[in-house]
Amino acid sequence: MKIAGFGVEEWLNVHEREAKYDLAQSTITSFSMDEIKKLTQADIYNQLNEQKMNYGWIEGSPTFKKEVSKMYQNVAPDNILQTNGATGANLLAIYSLIEPGDHVISVYPSYQQLYDIPRSLGAEVSFWKLREDKNWYPDIEELKKLIRPNTKMICINNANNPTGTILDRKFLEQVVEVAKSVGAYILVDEVYLPFDDSVDFAPIVDLYDKGISTNSLSKTYSMPGIRVGWTATNSQLADIFRKYRDYTMICSGVFSDQMACLVLENKDKVLDRNKKIVLDNLAYFKDWVQKTDKISCVFPNGVSTSFVKLETKKSSLEFCKDLLKDTGVLLVPGEAFDTPGYARLGYCAPHETLTKGLEVLGDYLQAN
C-alpha cells in the first residue's frame, strides 16, 4: 500500500515543539488536569486509584456511549463505537467500506485522511473544491457532475479544516439527495462544533441513514491528550465497523474512557468555557486582521480554525519556516493542504499567546 505523506501532521511533528507562540493548533485551548478537575469538581485521582488497569470497556463504557448518543437525535448508544480520536474514527469508516475500484468524492482542501486513505485502498478520488470567492463553500451543481454510479462515499469535514467553513443543514440536505441517487455513504468529520448561534448545524447521521458522523474530544472539547473519538451510525454500519475495529484497535484505555466520561457528563460547563474562548479570541483576531496589511481571511463560523491569505514575497512555506526560525511564531503553511499562498492560523490559543503571537506576526509581515 502506498500513501502520500500527511502534510499537516508532518509539519507539526517537526516544528510544534520549537514554537514560542503556537498559532498552528486548531484545538480550543487544551485543559490541564488541574483545570478540568476544578471545572467539574470531580474526585479524579481517587476514582482512578480504584480502577483496575485492564483493557476496560472495549467499545467504550456504557456511560460514554450514552453521553455521546445524546448528541444525536436517533442514534442508540449501542451504535456509538469509541475510537482513537477522530483520526481513528475516519480510518475505521474508510477501511471498513472502501475497496479497489470504488469512486470517492472528497471536499478539497480538507483533512488529508479523507482523500488519501481512500486512494491508498485503490479507490479513485475526485475533488469537490471549496471556493474562496464563495466564502469557502462548494457548489452543489459541481457535486452533481462529479457523482457516478460507482460512487461509494462522499467525504466532508464540517466545519472544514483548514478554512473553518460550516456547511449548514439545508446544504447538507442537498448533498444527501445527491448521495441517495447512487446509494453512496456520506462520511462527515464533525470535530469542530460551531459556537456561532446563527449557524444551523446538523450531524450527518441525523439527516441520512447512510450518514457516518465521526467526532472526538480533541477540538471542541479541549482534550486531545486522551485520544478519544467515536463513530455514530445506524446499527448495520456499527456491526460492519465492529469487525474492522478489532483489527485496528482494541480499546482506548481505562484512564482515557474515565476522562472522556467526565468531560461528556460536564459538557455544558466545558462548552460554556470554550464558547467564551472562541468568541472572544475570534473578535480579537478579526480586529487584528482588519488592521493588518498583507493578510486577509474569510472568517470562520465560530470554530477554532482559520485559513489566512498571505501577501509575501516568499512562498507561504518559506515564509512560515522563516517566521518560526526568526520569531518563534508557528503557523501551518498552505502547502500542507495543497493550497499555497495561505496558512492555517489557530486563534483559540491561550489569549496571551494569541495577542503576542499576532503582534509579532503583524510586524514580521510588514518586513517581509
Side-chain angles (χ1 to χ4, degrees):
M1 170 176 121
K2 294 182 180 179
I3 195 166
F6 201 151
V8 64
E9 300 303 331
E10 288 184 339
W11 174 263
L12 292 175
N13 290 346
V14 172
H15 297 297
E16 63 185 341
R17 296 299 180 186
E18 303 171 29
K20 184 176 181 181
Y21 308 106
D22 188 350
L23 302 183
Q25 306 300 328
S26 58
T27 294
I28 302 169
T29 306
S30 298
F31 281 110
S32 67
M33 288 295 293
D34 186 56
E35 187 179 4
I36 194 70
K37 182 176 184 291
K38 288 177 179 176
L39 183 73
T40 62
Q41 297 295 301
D43 193 4
I44 296 173
Y45 300 109
N46 281 334
Q47 291 173 11
L48 187 61
N49 286 340
E50 296 170 3
Q51 295 273 17
K52 291 284 188 183
M53 287 294 111
N54 53 24
Y55 283 98
W57 296 94
I58 299 302
E59 294 184 0
S61 63
T63 298
F64 173 83
K65 286 172 163 275
K66 180 184 73 173
E67 291 299 324
V68 171
S69 72
K70 292 177 183 178
M71 298 181 183
Y72 309 100
Q73 292 178 354
N74 298 301
V75 180
D78 196 45
N79 296 339
I80 303 296
L81 301 180
Q82 193 175 85
T83 61
N84 182 230
T87 54
N90 293 334
L91 172 62
L92 176 61
I94 296 168
Y95 178 49
S96 300
L97 296 173
I98 300 304
E99 300 174 293
D102 286 339
H103 178 239
V104 172
I105 298 170
S106 175
V107 163
Y108 183 85
S110 182
Y111 196 55
Q112 194 172 335
Q113 266 198 316
L114 300 180
Y115 51 88
D116 271 337
I117 292 180
R119 278 174 168 169
S120 75
L121 296 173
E124 182 182 355
V125 176
S126 297
F127 289 139
W128 185 24
K129 294 183 179 179
L130 303 180
R131 308 290 182 185
E132 186 182 21
D133 61 354
K134 294 185 177 180
N135 292 326
W136 292 117
Y137 241 71
D139 187 332
I140 196 69
E141 295 304 318
E142 184 179 344
L143 178 63
K144 292 176 183 178
K145 294 175 182 176
L146 292 172
I147 204 81
R148 303 178 188 173
N150 70 327
T151 301
K152 188 74 161 290
M153 183 180 287
I154 299 169
C155 295
I156 300 169
N157 61 332
N158 195 31
N160 176 258
N161 181 7
T163 67
T165 299
I166 289 281
L167 305 183
D168 65 20
R169 181 188 301 268
K170 288 184 178 180
F171 190 87
L172 285 177
E173 287 171 348
Q174 296 179 72
V175 177
V176 167
E177 290 306 308
V178 176
K180 280 182 178 178
S181 70
V182 295
Y185 298 99
I186 304 177
L187 168 63
V188 184
D189 179 334
E190 298 166 351
V191 296
Y192 302 103
L193 181 72
F195 288 96
D196 182 342
D197 294 334
S198 69
V199 176
D200 188 8
F201 173 80
I204 195 63
V205 72
D206 288 339
L207 300 180
Y208 184 35
D209 186 53
K210 297 183 79 170
I212 302 161
S213 288
T214 62
N215 207 332
S216 80
L217 298 177
S218 297
K219 307 296 185 181
T220 300
Y221 298 91
S222 300
M223 290 291 283
I226 60 174
R227 304 306 304 132
V228 171
W230 61 86
T231 58
T233 63
N234 65 32
S235 58
Q236 181 183 15
L237 278 170
D239 283 341
I240 293 171
F241 289 179
R242 283 185 171 95
K243 178 173 70 173
Y244 290 88
R245 188 183 176 283
D246 287 341
Y247 283 93
T248 55
M249 66 174 291
I250 301 300
C251 61
S252 290
V254 170
F255 172 74
S256 291
D257 185 89
Q258 176 187 319
M259 293 305 299
C261 291
L262 179 64
V263 169
L264 292 167
E265 288 175 322
N266 291 273
K267 185 173 81 167
D268 290 346
K269 293 179 182 177
V270 170
L271 294 181
D272 284 347
R273 176 253 198 193
N274 285 0
K275 182 175 184 177
K276 179 171 174 53
I277 291 172
V278 170
L279 297 185
D280 286 356
N281 281 17
L282 180 55
Y284 186 92
F285 172 59
K286 285 181 176 180
D287 183 65
W288 176 83
V289 169
Q290 289 159 1
K291 292 177 179 177
T292 304
D293 293 333
K294 298 186 178 181
I295 194 163
S296 60
C297 183
V298 176
F299 294 112
N301 297 119
V303 298
S304 56
T305 182
S306 71
F307 208 40
V308 294
K309 188 172 186 177
L310 304 170
E311 298 174 22
T312 67
K313 299 172 184 176
K314 307 172 183 177
S315 70
S316 46
L317 177 61
E318 291 174 315
F319 177 83
C320 289
K321 284 182 177 179
D322 290 345
L323 174 70
L324 178 62
K325 177 171 62 75
D326 295 342
T327 71
V329 174
L330 180 63
L331 306 176
V332 180
E335 284 83 351
F337 296 95
D338 297 330
T339 311
Y342 297 81
R344 190 179 79 179
L345 191 156
Y347 64 89
C348 290
H351 193 69
E352 184 178 348
T353 300
L354 176 69
T355 55
K356 185 60 179 177
L358 291 181
E359 178 187 343
V360 172
L361 172 58
D363 290 343
Y364 197 79
L365 272 167
Q366 304 323 306
N368 291 272

